[in-house]
Amino acid sequence: MQTEIYEELEARGVTLARAAASGDLEAEGKLVETLGELTRAPYHNEGWPRSGSVAYAVFDAFLQVDDGDREALRRLVGPFMAVLMAHPDHLGVPYRFEPAEMLGPSAIPPLARLLGRGLAATSRAAIEGLDYVNPLNDAGFRLATDALERLFAYEEEAGEAVATAVAALEWNDERLWLLFRVLAEHAVTGVAALGEVAREVLVRLATATTAITGPGADKLRGLLLRAKIIPKALAPGVKPATLPRKLPLTVAEALALRETWGLSPAEVQAGRPAKAKELDVLADRLGRRLPKELTLLLGMHASLGARDIGPPARMRQLLREMAETIEDDEEEADDKVPSGRGQYDVRGFDPGKKAIPLGSDPSGDLYFLATGAKSGAETAPVIRYRHDQALVATIVADSLGEFVALILARVYARREGLGPELDKLESRRRTITSGYKKPKPPRE
């Protein structure tokens, strides 16, 4: 029954929104009534359409009209914001909605309320419970992110109004932690690269919330202090987290980072020690002894990360899958070999004889230890075999130890908001010095 109700509301709302955007005042009045009806309707987050998807669709329908009536939008922004607040959804705010350009300062108060509603609709426990899943899948987090991005889009002359509206919201340690995660997750180039309005907002907020203490407040202040947005006086006793410029190359040193960074076994998804029989079976399947570093790692943790390394049974399975994928890629490549910067032909590492599959990433790329090759660090590198580029391989780490350190660093960076610093470590230029033989293209 609820699905039928929301289907009818969507059909009616979309039709009225398009008419209202075209200047139909009668349709605009009826749209206000429909939006009020939808706002009062019960929250429905199962099946399709959802209450939140209907709210999004109706708003988006208005925005899709070319040269839509700006004055009508100015009158309707309140009802539109109200319905988004009543039915938060991971779709968030329609991307066509650019209030700074469309409406000017008049949209700042409702946007600030939308930010507050988004923060109230989620929690630290909910976001941490998502683990590796993108937090934008959480409706409240998405709403808060979209609202904050639009507030930050205002020009400098509106900075005071934006800062005042954001600082006036209800804040506590939980909400400061959520704001920290919003900033850490979606300031792609780093918080330090945020514009003047964003910096003014964050300084004002830090000043207005000095009385709030706790881990959330410390995380946010550390992030802003590290980005040189706030002075040390606004972050007393806070020591910003950092990542080293260079990660260790040995497994032992890499695993020691877990204690240094205070990472629990659950956070890094560290498995139990592998049994001797498991290692023997893997070695038999490979037809050679396992490298000492790999034996050390698996002897402590049969698996590490979501799917990055192990367990041995899966490594054996990946050995077969890698061979099959190479065979399929050879047909798809049509005699072309990888030639991009930093790209290698996976066959040049002689994977049938000199590769040990380790695991994979969420997209399906396969990681393997190239035991016959040497990196610039004179150690066997870890290679990423791209699932969506025929025969293309890239270097992900100079050694197994550095790969382990990167797995831990990703968890630490996500927890501490160190995305840009992690990107530098992951994108560091790495080379192969020996043990790679580029396959010759077939003769015409």
Side-chain angles (χ1 to χ4, degrees):
M1 180 63 70
Q2 280 190 328
T3 298
E4 294 176 358
I5 292 172
Y6 287 111
E7 286 176 346
E8 191 277 327
L9 279 171
E10 180 173 346
R12 186 190 346 147
V14 165
T15 300
L16 291 171
R18 289 171 178 162
S22 300
D24 187 330
L25 290 175
E26 182 180 355
E28 182 182 326
K30 292 180 179 179
L31 177 59
V32 171
E33 294 176 1
T34 300
L35 290 173
E37 185 180 344
L38 178 55
T39 299
R40 294 187 297 272
Y43 184 62
H44 176 62
N45 200 33
E46 296 180 1
W48 190 268
R50 304 183 300 271
S51 59
S53 71
V54 174
Y56 182 97
V58 175
F59 193 2
D60 195 47
F62 185 102
L63 299 168
Q64 287 182 42
V65 176
D66 292 335
D67 299 320
D69 189 333
R70 290 291 174 86
E71 287 306 311
L73 179 58
R74 196 179 304 278
R75 292 188 296 270
L76 289 166
V77 68
F80 276 136
M81 294 291 103
V83 77
L84 290 178
M85 290 170 64
H87 302 283
D89 190 272
H90 70 264
L91 293 172
V93 178
Y95 71 91
R96 294 181 179 86
F97 183 49
E98 300 175 349
E101 187 271 328
M102 292 175 168
L103 301 173
S106 64
I108 292 173
L111 280 173
R113 291 193 293 272
L114 196 66
L115 169 61
R117 173 64 177 124
L119 296 173
T122 187
S123 67
R124 176 174 181 173
I127 300 306
E128 289 185 330
L130 292 173
D131 200 13
Y132 288 90
V133 177
N134 190 331
L136 287 178
N137 286 310
D138 179 274
F141 192 92
R142 178 58 184 263
L143 201 63
T145 298
D146 286 0
L148 194 65
E149 286 179 350
R150 284 160 177 78
L151 287 166
F152 284 174
Y154 276 88
E155 298 294 334
E156 288 184 44
E157 55 267 23
E160 171 68 22
V162 176
T164 299
V166 171
L169 295 173
E170 180 182 344
W171 292 100
N172 54 36
D173 189 64
E174 170 103 347
R175 292 191 178 186
L176 291 178
W177 185 91
L178 290 167
L179 180 60
F180 153 75
R181 279 300 299 266
V182 168
L183 292 170
E185 290 283 342
H186 299 289
V188 178
T189 56
V191 175
L194 289 172
E196 287 303 315
V197 169
R199 299 175 79 89
E200 183 175 351
V201 169
L202 295 170
V203 169
R204 176 74 68 82
L205 180 62
T207 303
T209 58
T210 53
I212 298 175
T213 59
D218 286 349
K219 282 282 193 294
L220 179 62
R221 290 165 190 156
L223 183 70
L224 301 182
L225 184 59
R226 187 170 59 247
K228 298 181 180 179
I229 291 176
I230 63 173
K232 291 182 179 180
L234 288 177
V238 174
K239 185 178 180 181
T242 60
L243 282 171
R245 292 184 178 181
K246 190 174 182 180
L247 294 173
L249 293 172
T250 69
V251 167
E253 290 176 309
L255 289 175
L257 290 173
R258 189 167 71 78
E259 183 174 346
T260 300
W261 291 335
L263 301 172
S264 69
E267 283 182 289
V268 299
Q269 301 187 47
R272 58 163 177 79
K275 297 178 181 178
K277 185 177 180 180
E278 291 179 289
L279 300 182
D280 290 341
V281 172
L282 177 59
D284 288 344
R285 177 68 180 82
L286 291 167
R288 57 191 184 279
R289 301 171 76 179
L290 299 182
K292 291 182 179 179
E293 285 279 88
L294 183 58
T295 301
L296 171 64
L297 172 62
L298 297 178
M300 298 181 71
H301 301 293
S303 59
L304 190 67
R307 299 173 62 85
D308 305 272
I309 297 177
R314 183 165 181 260
M315 295 167 69
R316 299 199 312 270
Q317 177 186 344
L318 290 175
L319 190 65
R320 183 185 69 253
E321 291 182 9
M322 183 165 64
E324 293 173 350
T325 303
I326 291 174
E327 186 177 337
D328 292 341
D329 279 0
E330 286 177 325
E331 295 181 8
E332 181 184 334
D334 194 25
D335 296 336
K336 296 179 181 178
V337 296
S339 57
R341 182 179 179 182
Q343 293 185 347
Y344 296 84
D345 188 316
V346 68
R347 297 170 296 182
F349 293 102
D350 195 6
K353 297 179 181 178
K354 299 177 182 179
I356 302 177
L358 298 172
S360 61
D361 74 357
S363 74
D365 289 354
L366 188 147
Y367 298 124
F368 68 86
L369 185 64
T371 57
K374 290 288 178 66
S375 69
E378 290 299 304
T379 50
V382 173
I383 306 298
R384 181 197 297 266
Y385 180 15
R386 303 281 179 173
H387 78 284
D388 56 353
Q389 296 175 271
L391 300 174
V392 172
T394 56
I395 312 170
V396 70
D398 278 335
S399 68
L400 179 61
E402 189 187 26
F403 185 52
V404 170
L406 277 171
I407 294 171
L408 303 184
R410 288 169 192 157
V411 177
Y412 184 63
R414 186 172 67 250
R415 192 185 76 186
E416 302 295 336
L418 298 169
E421 290 86 345
L422 176 67
D423 289 341
K424 289 179 182 179
L425 285 174
E426 293 192 312
S427 61
R428 183 176 63 79
R429 189 170 181 270
R430 298 173 173 88
T431 59
I432 298 296
T433 58
S434 65
Y436 171 78
K437 186 176 182 181
K438 186 176 181 178
K440 296 181 180 179
R443 294 182 179 179
E444 297 290 339

